[in-house]
Amino acid sequence: MTIEKIKQELVSAIEPLWKKEANTLYEIRVVLPQFDNSVNLFFEWHKLGRATTSRAINTYSSEEVDAVLEAVQLIKIEKGITVSINR
């Protein structure tokens, strides 16, 4: 998959969840494979003082790690969402 196509998929999955409410923090969490597993992406949000809500937004094969990371960085720059990468 191309970087642009991955970016479009992620943005279309995030848009219904991203309500831009006051006092709410939003984040994309990328979980990288330790061995040969798939790359998982989650969209998380929480109001200050409340528990975090997490939704799985997509899964990609381990061969697409570089393209996924670059697409997530583009989303971070364009949308201003915090990104955390977990290994």
Side-chain angles (χ1 to χ4, degrees):
M1 270 188 161
T2 66
I3 295 168
E4 190 62 32
K5 186 169 183 173
I6 292 171
K7 185 180 114 184
Q8 288 174 354
E9 283 182 358
L10 295 177
V11 168
S12 66
I14 289 171
E15 286 297 327
L17 301 172
W18 190 19
K19 298 179 179 150
K20 301 179 186 175
E21 295 176 350
N23 297 323
T24 305
L25 302 174
Y26 297 94
E27 178 179 10
I28 296 175
R29 185 165 47 102
V30 181
V31 181
L32 295 174
Q34 184 175 3
F35 300 105
D36 255 353
N37 301 331
S38 55
V39 178
N40 298 308
L41 289 112
F42 299 89
F43 185 70
E44 299 180 337
W45 67 94
H46 71 277
K47 284 192 165 283
L48 298 177
R50 303 231 176 168
T52 301
T53 305
S54 180
R55 297 281 187 264
I57 53 175
N58 217 330
T59 301
Y60 295 97
S61 66
S62 59
E63 292 84 31
E64 296 177 314
V65 170
D66 295 331
V68 169
L69 290 176
E70 192 165 334
V72 169
Q73 291 301 323
L74 289 173
I75 292 171
K76 177 181 178 179
I77 293 168
E78 290 176 10
K79 303 287 184 180
I81 297 176
T82 303
V83 174
S84 69
I85 300 172
N86 302 338
R87 297 187 188 270

